[in-house]
Amino acid sequence: QVQLVESGGGLVQPGGSLRLSCAASGSIFSIFRMGWYRQAPGKQRELVASITNGGTPDVVDSVKGRCTTSRDNANNTAYLQMNNMKPEDTAVYYCNKVPSLSNPWGQGTQVTVSS
């Protein structure tokens, strides 16, 4: 089981940037593919980015060109860098291993893109 703590969210204006962090513990972080998910109010949680245990990222089309994900296995931390942010990026952002299966979700970090 991997415990996850997300941080780095907040209020940002359209066109701004944020870097989210995901601190993992409780298991062998370096083994797992990690993913970033988001859930907007009234919407289903969706995967937006993932990264292999070796550091190869993959980003969904809706955020391609605006965000990238990375990881630091030595510090058990994954990152999501978001640039040129849009109001539709507003959501609670979560990280988890991919596939998450039965692994618990953390509390997430709120991202709000607004003027």
Side-chain angles (χ1 to χ4, degrees):
Q1 187 177 72
V2 180
Q3 288 81 49
L4 303 154
V5 179
E6 300 91 347
S7 62
L11 176 65
V12 64
Q13 295 183 353
S17 298
L18 284 174
R19 189 183 73 164
L20 309 183
S21 297
C22 169
S25 64
S27 190
I28 308 174
F29 171 82
S30 61
I31 289 177
F32 303 112
R33 176 188 291 265
M34 296 297 297
W36 285 96
Y37 304 77
R38 67 186 181 188
Q39 187 169 24
K43 303 294 185 180
Q44 297 293 111
R45 181 156 45 206
E46 62 175 346
L47 180 70
V48 296
S50 66
I51 185 166
T52 70
N53 63 332
T56 301
D58 192 16
V59 178
V60 300
D61 288 343
S62 62
V63 299
K64 194 176 296 292
R66 299 192 297 112
C67 81
T68 188
T69 184
S70 60
R71 67 192 296 163
D72 181 353
N73 287 341
N75 290 307
N76 294 341
T77 305
Y79 303 94
L80 182 68
Q81 177 69 47
M82 299 185 290
N83 303 314
N84 191 25
M85 299 186 70
K86 303 177 179 181
E88 52 263 43
D89 294 324
T90 296
V92 178
Y93 283 73
Y94 303 86
C95 63
N96 213 330
K97 62 181 184 178
V98 180
S100 60
L101 298 176
S102 61
N103 198 68
W105 297 89
Q107 295 300 304
T109 185
Q110 175 71 52
V111 171
T112 302
V113 184
S114 176
S115 297

